[in-house]
Amino acid sequence: MENQSGNDAQVADSIARRFMEVVPHADALGMEIVAATPGCVEVAMPWAPEFVGDPRTGVLHGGVISALMDMSCGLSVLCHPSHPPVTATIDLRIDYLRSATPGQRVRARAECFHVTRSVAFVRAVARDEGDTPVATATGTFTVGV
Amino acid sequence: MGLTRESVIDGLLAKVPYFGWLGVQVDRRGDELTTVLPFAGRLIGNPALPALHGGVTAAFLETAALVELVWTAMGDERGGFLPIEQDESMPRLPKTIDFTIDYLRSGLARDAYARGRVVRLGRRYASVQVEAWQENRSRLFAQATGHFLMPQPRD
């Protein structure tokens, strides 16, 4: 049983890495996979001056958080035990709870919690090094072609 | 000397690092703004198609919404929606509360355009809709709705 779940985690991890490796935008933002298990993926990216949305404070632009959310959500669909070969975002809602603290890396943890024949349902939480979340996301994704 | 709406939009694009990195531009015809995203390889999310990353589409539409909101708020005759302190060269910006994107079709590897509409402008909250297209204005590849918190005057 433990071997099986260990193996499932390895499969999820290799799927997440294989898909993210080939995404130029993920590379451009410096994203990396923190953890991947079946249906659940955490992606992190560093703070960098070129991603700042408010030059007065140095806070990251919301668009960077969107990219991190979309990436982690899409990967969580691909890592779901039903193993859809491809996926695309249908819709994504992001709630910005607070500003991400300048200088801190941000990580988004996405969970694909339900999959039908055509649609995957996903939610995600983004955090910096503080206790309260920076943003939450809810999305639906296509499954298969 | 008062700030013009034109100079504020130009300043926004010049001073916000992320807008420079993304490469967004604003095309102004009369009082109508179109936000433009010139295609670049680093914006790709799906190299097989190739297609724009969903996060890029989201960021682009959120930028278009903010640009339209700042433009509309500064042009509003009722005034006071975007307070500018005397010592500031730029207004403080509205903050995104939430943003919802509908991905209608893949964003392809070419320039993209977006136009926003401020549906409601209040002293505290604003609601903005955005439409985005590429080759054909009537074939949208994404649309979005967002709510923004307007900056409050300092006491």
Side-chain angles (χ1 to χ4, degrees), chain B residues 18-98:
Chain B
Y18 182 68
F19 293 161
W21 185 82
L22 202 59
V24 284
Q25 302 163 0
V26 173
D27 183 27
R28 180 166 50 82
R29 304 289 158 109
D31 71 345
E32 189 178 69
L33 301 184
T34 306
T35 304
V36 182
L37 181 69
F39 176 74
R42 65 175 185 282
L43 307 180
I44 290 176
N46 180 341
L49 281 174
L52 292 178
H53 194 277
V56 170
T57 300
F60 174 52
L61 270 72
E62 192 180 325
T63 303
L66 182 73
V67 162
E68 186 64 37
L69 179 56
V70 168
W71 178 254
T72 303
M74 287 199 70
D76 195 283
E77 288 158 4
R78 292 169 290 172
F81 290 104
L82 220 55
I84 302 172
E85 312 297 320
Q86 277 196 328
D87 57 337
E88 290 173 335
S89 63
M90 285 282 289
R92 277 172 295 128
L93 299 175
K95 283 185 179 167
T96 317
I97 300 168
D98 62 68

Side-chain angles (χ1 to χ4, degrees), chain B residues 87-155:
Chain B
D87 57 337
E88 290 173 335
S89 63
M90 285 282 289
R92 277 172 295 128
L93 299 175
K95 283 185 179 167
T96 317
I97 300 168
D98 62 68
F99 204 70
T100 307
I101 309 106
D102 288 338
Y103 294 89
L104 304 172
R105 45 174 67 82
S106 293
L108 301 177
R110 54 183 68 126
D111 297 357
Y113 311 95
R115 223 169 261 173
R117 186 166 70 89
V118 178
V119 178
R120 183 186 182 259
L121 176 62
R123 294 203 182 272
R124 289 183 73 192
Y125 308 110
S127 180
V128 186
Q129 291 180 349
V130 193
E131 293 183 341
W133 70 97
Q134 292 187 304
E135 303 281 83
N136 184 337
R137 176 73 176 88
S138 61
R139 268 173 69 86
L140 302 180
F141 78 96
Q143 62 181 358
T145 296
H147 296 95
F148 292 83
L149 185 63
M150 302 303 290
Q152 298 300 302
R154 295 204 174 107
D155 296 322

